[in-house]
């Protein structure tokens, strides 16, 4: 039996649980915090073959991890790609095909591309999604200019008012994690970006299905929290989702895409509000 509040965090692309590291101690002081790296990201395995890195596989993984940990309920918090994984989880719950013993206590969506027509894709994302995505990814991984390009692309996700020293430190660690090899024979997260980014194509294809299920009533609260200075997932996406789930849009002013890294204290206050 789960005796303490449990927060279940779902990370985004091209990151990992690392994106929560500044908020983690603030959240952990009030309950159990569970986060895992999706396959293809962070410290998880990255098989180069026999895995599509689909949102549907990520949802399967989430249910599998929670089951192994004996988790039957919790407060779900998602970001970026994790938002799309969470919409698939909620769709399965609505349709009665999720594990029967699992039920969310609440849901919190944060900055992510949940309305694909409003996403301001970075140039790197656009290139990775083309038929030449693998070739571009291979070339970018082999030359120094590719790493500089990746850093510049990530830098654009922070707000103009973000602490530059903290931002650069976090970007460095994100890049290092994308270069980490989980086990001999595995790929790196960098080398798989042309595969893992295909969640955006799935988002486009299945968005009507997911949004239709989000519009149906739930027996637990849903909330939306957005940094209003996100260059990729603008505030209009958060407003659209809030309207669909009939929730108030909570806004963090002058905060970019990684709101938990830029403003961990304010972010944590909103996350922890669900526990009350």
């Amino acid at each position: 039996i789960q005796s303490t509040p449990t927060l279940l965090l779902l990370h985004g692309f091209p990151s990992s649980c690392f994106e929560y590291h500044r908020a983690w101690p603030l959240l952990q002081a009030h309950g159990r915090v569970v986060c895992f790296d999706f396959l293809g990201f962070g410290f998880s395995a990255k098989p180069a073959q026999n895995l599509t890195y689909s949102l549907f596989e990520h949802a399967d993984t989430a249910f599998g991890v929670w089951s192994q940990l004996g988790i039957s309920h919790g407060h779900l918090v998602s970001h970026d790609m994790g938002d799309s994984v969470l919409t698939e989880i909620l769709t399965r719950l609505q349709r009665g095909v999720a594990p029967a013993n699992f039920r969310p206590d609440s849901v919190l969506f944060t900055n992510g591309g949940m309305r694909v027509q409003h996403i301001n894709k970075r140039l790197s994302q656009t290139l990775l999604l083309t038929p030449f995505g693998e070739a571009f990814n291979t070339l970018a991984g082999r030359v120094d200019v590719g790493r500089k390009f990746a850093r510049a692309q990530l830098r654009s996700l922070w707000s103009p008012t973000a602490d530059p020293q903290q931002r650069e430190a976090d970007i460095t660690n994100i890049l290092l994690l994308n270069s980490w090899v989980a086990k001999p024979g595995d790929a790196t997260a960098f080398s798989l970006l042309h595969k893992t980014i295909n969640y955006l194509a799935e988002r486009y294809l299945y968005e009507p299905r997911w949004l239709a299920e989000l519009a149906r009533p739930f027996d637990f609260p849903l909330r939306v929290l957005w940094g209003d200075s996100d260059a990729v997932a603008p505030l209009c996406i958060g407003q659209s989702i809030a309207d669909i789930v009939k929730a108030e849009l909570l806004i963090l002013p002058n905060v970019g895409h990684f709101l938990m890294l830029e403003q961990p204290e304010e972010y944590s206050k909103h996350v922890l509000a669900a526990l009350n």
Side-chain angles (χ1 to χ4, degrees), residues 51-71:
L51 195 68
T52 65
Y53 298 100
S54 163
L55 291 170
F56 299 95
E57 289 174 333
H58 292 328
D60 291 341
T61 299
F63 281 125
V65 169
W66 298 334
S67 176
Q68 285 294 313
L69 295 175
I71 295 171

Side-chain angles (χ1 to χ4, degrees), residues 58 205 207 215 240:
H58 292 328
L205 184 61
E207 186 172 279
S240 175

